[in-house]
Amino acid sequence: MSPSMTLYHNPASPFSRKVRVLLHETGQTGRVNLKPVNVTPVNPNPEVCHDNPCGKIPALVLADNHVIHDSRVILDYLDHQHVGNPLIPREGSARWRRLTLASLADAVLDAAVLIRYETFLRPQDKQWEEWLANQSEKIARSLEYFENEAVTELSAHFDIASISLACGLGYLDFRQPDLGWRSTYSRLASWYYDVSQRPSMLETQPPV
Ligand code: BEZ
């Protein structure tokens, strides 16, 4: 089967990784041509901007040239394109619970990527320490919630909530290797150890 869709992505982007993990988990990797692009808030990619006016990745170009973004919408779309168990519950309280957990995990990704931009792209003398501290606190509050309120639920299914958090923790390891989150959140550490052995996670690891 030759790929009928194209995914603009970056191997370092945790939002792109969520899509690639779902493609693996649902047996759809052969349907998507991966197109790596370098995009930052100060370096937009003209090709991406043509297909997604806000210039963000991931963006998925369908066979009919319609474009789907952002990562949550892409995951929803792709979850409707396979015949296995849905990774986003279709209805009932499970749907809203898992989407809410996924949203909280996405907040971790957002904050971690914003910290990366602030510390890597912005000149050091212009960096805003208070803003950085608040992004870090957002991550800490979210991880504490997952540790104390949601880790058992996460262990039950590897679905949209688990994929989003696993990609978030992987990104923290990648960009903030000295954070030491495992010593504070031991149950999350144990959960992450298990899920990071999944082929979908191993095959989508950020570059070394
Ligand atoms: C990164 O290099 O950390 C990165 C790249 C693309 C999107 C988000 C983050």
Side-chain angles (χ1 to χ4, degrees):
M1 176 173 46
S2 64
S4 60
M5 299 179 270
T6 297
L7 181 73
Y8 291 113
H9 81 113
N10 183 288
S13 159
F15 293 100
S16 300
R17 190 179 186 191
K18 282 169 46 185
V19 177
R20 290 166 53 227
V21 169
L22 183 129
L23 287 171
H24 279 276
E25 292 288 336
T26 59
Q28 297 188 81
T29 50
R31 303 185 61 211
V32 176
N33 170 42
L34 295 178
K35 191 164 194 173
V37 285
N38 283 319
V39 174
T40 74
V42 290
N43 180 30
N45 176 295
E47 209 181 343
V48 176
C49 290
H50 176 265
D51 285 328
N52 176 6
C54 77
K56 284 183 166 184
I57 56 165
L60 182 69
V61 185
L62 306 185
D64 63 5
N65 283 331
H66 281 97
V67 181
I68 293 190
H69 54 84
D70 59 3
S71 66
R72 271 188 251 181
V73 184
I74 297 173
L75 261 61
D76 199 352
Y77 175 80
L78 291 173
D79 199 35
H80 281 80
Q81 308 300 315
H82 67 99
V83 292
N85 286 335
L87 299 190
I88 305 173
R90 296 281 193 266
E91 57 194 20
S93 57
R95 173 173 175 79
W96 310 118
R97 177 63 179 163
R98 301 307 283 202
L99 284 174
T100 299
L101 291 176
S103 164
L104 189 64
D106 280 353
V108 173
L109 273 63
D110 269 332
V113 168
L114 289 174
I115 289 171
R116 168 71 179 167
Y117 289 155
E118 182 76 4
T119 53
F120 184 70
L121 295 177
R122 197 186 290 270
Q124 198 161 12
D125 62 323
K126 296 199 169 69
Q127 289 175 17
W128 188 3
E129 289 306 324
E130 192 184 350
W131 186 90
L132 281 167
N134 273 277
Q135 297 301 331
S136 293
E137 282 167 24
K138 193 187 298 184
I139 293 172
R141 286 195 307 272
S142 304
L143 296 188
E144 190 174 333
Y145 180 87
F146 281 116
E147 171 82 4
N148 293 325
E149 309 290 341
V151 77
T152 310
E153 285 171 82
L154 287 173
S155 305
H157 305 286
F158 195 71
D159 66 355
I160 184 159
S162 311
I163 289 172
S164 301
L165 184 61
C167 292
L169 295 173
Y171 187 72
L172 288 176
D173 282 349
F174 176 50
R175 288 302 187 207
Q176 299 187 43
D178 300 328
L179 184 64
W181 61 268
R182 285 173 178 78
S183 56
T184 315
Y185 312 108
S186 58
R187 281 178 283 178
L188 273 189
S190 163
W191 172 80
Y192 182 67
Y193 177 83
D194 289 342
V195 298
S196 59
Q197 311 300 316
R198 297 178 77 91
S200 63
M201 291 294 292
L202 292 171
E203 283 166 37
T204 60
Q205 288 183 79
V208 278

Short mmCIF file of all heavy atoms in Angstrom, two decimals, residues 9-16 37-40 57 112-113 116-117 120 171 174-175, ligand 1:
data_model
loop_
_atom_site.label_atom_id
_atom_site.label_comp_id
_atom_site.label_asym_id
_atom_site.label_seq_id
_atom_site.Cartn_x
_atom_site.Cartn_y
_atom_site.Cartn_z
N HIS A 9 6.01 16.97 9.92
CA HIS A 9 6.36 16.69 11.31
C HIS A 9 7.82 17.08 11.55
O HIS A 9 8.54 17.43 10.61
CB HIS A 9 6.16 15.20 11.62
CG HIS A 9 7.31 14.35 11.17
ND1 HIS A 9 8.14 13.69 12.05
CD2 HIS A 9 7.78 14.08 9.93
CE1 HIS A 9 9.06 13.05 11.37
NE2 HIS A 9 8.87 13.26 10.09
N ASN A 10 8.21 17.01 12.82
CA ASN A 10 9.61 17.15 13.17
C ASN A 10 9.91 16.05 14.19
O ASN A 10 9.12 15.88 15.13
CB ASN A 10 9.90 18.54 13.76
CG ASN A 10 11.37 18.73 14.05
OD1 ASN A 10 11.91 18.15 14.99
ND2 ASN A 10 12.04 19.52 13.24
N PRO A 11 11.02 15.30 14.00
CA PRO A 11 11.29 14.18 14.91
C PRO A 11 11.44 14.60 16.37
O PRO A 11 11.26 13.78 17.27
CB PRO A 11 12.60 13.59 14.38
CG PRO A 11 12.78 14.16 13.01
CD PRO A 11 12.02 15.45 12.95
N ALA A 12 11.74 15.88 16.63
CA ALA A 12 11.88 16.35 18.01
C ALA A 12 10.56 16.81 18.61
O ALA A 12 10.48 17.01 19.82
CB ALA A 12 12.90 17.50 18.06
N SER A 13 9.54 17.01 17.79
CA SER A 13 8.28 17.59 18.29
C SER A 13 7.44 16.54 19.01
O SER A 13 7.06 15.52 18.42
CB SER A 13 7.49 18.17 17.11
OG SER A 13 6.12 18.28 17.45
N PRO A 14 7.09 16.80 20.27
CA PRO A 14 6.24 15.82 20.98
C PRO A 14 4.83 15.78 20.41
O PRO A 14 4.16 14.75 20.51
CB PRO A 14 6.25 16.35 22.42
CG PRO A 14 6.53 17.81 22.31
CD PRO A 14 7.41 17.97 21.10
N PHE A 15 4.38 16.87 19.82
CA PHE A 15 3.04 16.87 19.20
C PHE A 15 3.04 15.98 17.96
O PHE A 15 2.10 15.23 17.71
CB PHE A 15 2.61 18.30 18.86
CG PHE A 15 2.39 19.14 20.08
CD1 PHE A 15 3.35 20.04 20.51
CD2 PHE A 15 1.22 19.02 20.81
CE1 PHE A 15 3.16 20.80 21.64
CE2 PHE A 15 1.01 19.79 21.96
CZ PHE A 15 1.99 20.67 22.37
N SER A 16 4.12 16.06 17.17
CA SER A 16 4.25 15.16 16.02
C SER A 16 4.36 13.72 16.49
O SER A 16 3.80 12.80 15.88
CB SER A 16 5.51 15.49 15.21
OG SER A 16 5.49 16.80 14.72
N VAL A 37 10.11 18.63 8.67
CA VAL A 37 10.31 20.06 8.42
C VAL A 37 10.84 20.72 9.69
O VAL A 37 10.55 20.26 10.80
CB VAL A 37 9.00 20.78 8.00
CG1 VAL A 37 8.61 20.45 6.57
CG2 VAL A 37 7.86 20.47 8.96
N ASN A 38 11.62 21.79 9.49
CA ASN A 38 12.09 22.57 10.63
C ASN A 38 11.22 23.82 10.74
O ASN A 38 11.16 24.61 9.82
CB ASN A 38 13.56 22.99 10.43
CG ASN A 38 14.48 21.84 10.69
OD1 ASN A 38 14.27 21.07 11.64
ND2 ASN A 38 15.49 21.67 9.84
N VAL A 39 10.54 23.92 11.87
CA VAL A 39 9.62 25.04 12.09
C VAL A 39 9.84 25.55 13.50
O VAL A 39 9.88 24.75 14.45
CB VAL A 39 8.16 24.56 11.96
CG1 VAL A 39 7.20 25.68 12.34
CG2 VAL A 39 7.86 24.06 10.56
N THR A 40 9.99 26.85 13.65
CA THR A 40 9.96 27.45 14.99
C THR A 40 9.08 28.70 14.88
O THR A 40 8.77 29.15 13.76
CB THR A 40 11.36 27.87 15.50
OG1 THR A 40 11.77 29.05 14.79
CG2 THR A 40 12.38 26.76 15.36
N ILE A 57 3.18 22.59 13.08
CA ILE A 57 3.17 21.15 12.85
C ILE A 57 2.74 20.48 14.16
O ILE A 57 2.91 21.08 15.23
CB ILE A 57 4.55 20.63 12.40
CG1 ILE A 57 5.63 21.01 13.43
CG2 ILE A 57 4.89 21.16 11.03
CD1 ILE A 57 6.93 20.26 13.28
N ALA A 112 6.46 22.64 28.10
CA ALA A 112 7.84 22.19 27.88
C ALA A 112 8.39 22.74 26.56
O ALA A 112 9.56 23.14 26.48
CB ALA A 112 7.90 20.66 27.89
N VAL A 113 7.55 22.81 25.54
CA VAL A 113 8.01 23.36 24.25
C VAL A 113 8.23 24.87 24.39
O VAL A 113 9.22 25.41 23.87
CB VAL A 113 7.01 23.02 23.12
CG1 VAL A 113 7.33 23.82 21.86
CG2 VAL A 113 7.03 21.53 22.80
N ARG A 116 11.46 25.42 25.97
CA ARG A 116 12.53 25.19 24.99
C ARG A 116 12.72 26.43 24.10
O ARG A 116 13.84 26.87 23.87
CB ARG A 116 12.18 23.95 24.15
CG ARG A 116 13.01 23.73 22.92
CD ARG A 116 14.42 23.30 23.25
NE ARG A 116 15.21 23.07 22.04
CZ ARG A 116 16.52 22.93 22.02
NH1 ARG A 116 17.21 22.98 23.14
NH2 ARG A 116 17.16 22.72 20.90
N TYR A 117 11.61 26.98 23.61
CA TYR A 117 11.72 28.16 22.76
C TYR A 117 12.35 29.33 23.52
O TYR A 117 13.21 30.03 23.00
CB TYR A 117 10.34 28.59 22.24
CG TYR A 117 9.73 27.66 21.21
CD1 TYR A 117 8.35 27.60 21.03
CD2 TYR A 117 10.53 26.84 20.40
CE1 TYR A 117 7.78 26.76 20.09
CE2 TYR A 117 9.97 26.00 19.46
CZ TYR A 117 8.59 25.95 19.31
OH TYR A 117 8.04 25.11 18.38
N PHE A 120 16.12 28.45 24.22
CA PHE A 120 16.97 28.13 23.07
C PHE A 120 16.94 29.22 22.00
O PHE A 120 17.96 29.54 21.40
CB PHE A 120 16.53 26.78 22.47
CG PHE A 120 17.38 26.31 21.34
CD1 PHE A 120 18.69 25.86 21.56
CD2 PHE A 120 16.89 26.28 20.03
CE1 PHE A 120 19.48 25.43 20.51
CE2 PHE A 120 17.68 25.84 18.98
CZ PHE A 120 18.97 25.41 19.22
N TYR A 171 9.47 13.93 26.06
CA TYR A 171 10.02 15.22 25.67
C TYR A 171 10.77 15.87 26.83
O TYR A 171 11.82 16.51 26.63
CB TYR A 171 8.91 16.14 25.17
CG TYR A 171 9.44 17.43 24.58
CD1 TYR A 171 10.11 17.45 23.36
CD2 TYR A 171 9.31 18.64 25.27
CE1 TYR A 171 10.61 18.62 22.83
CE2 TYR A 171 9.81 19.82 24.74
CZ TYR A 171 10.46 19.81 23.52
OH TYR A 171 10.97 20.98 23.01
N PHE A 174 14.04 14.42 26.93
CA PHE A 174 14.83 14.87 25.78
C PHE A 174 15.38 16.28 25.98
O PHE A 174 16.57 16.54 25.77
CB PHE A 174 13.93 14.79 24.54
CG PHE A 174 14.52 15.28 23.27
CD1 PHE A 174 15.77 14.87 22.83
CD2 PHE A 174 13.80 16.17 22.46
CE1 PHE A 174 16.30 15.32 21.62
CE2 PHE A 174 14.31 16.63 21.26
CZ PHE A 174 15.57 16.20 20.84
N ARG A 175 14.51 17.20 26.42
CA ARG A 175 14.91 18.61 26.48
C ARG A 175 15.26 19.11 27.87
O ARG A 175 15.91 20.14 28.01
CB ARG A 175 13.82 19.50 25.89
CG ARG A 175 13.68 19.41 24.37
CD ARG A 175 14.98 19.78 23.68
NE ARG A 175 14.83 19.85 22.22
CZ ARG A 175 15.83 19.64 21.39
NH1 ARG A 175 17.04 19.34 21.84
NH2 ARG A 175 15.64 19.73 20.09
C1 BEZ B 1 12.34 20.82 19.67
O1 BEZ B 1 13.37 20.74 18.99
O2 BEZ B 1 12.37 20.74 20.90
C2 BEZ B 1 11.04 21.01 18.95
C3 BEZ B 1 11.01 20.91 17.56
C4 BEZ B 1 9.80 21.09 16.90
C5 BEZ B 1 8.64 21.36 17.61
C6 BEZ B 1 8.69 21.43 19.01
C7 BEZ B 1 9.88 21.27 19.67
#
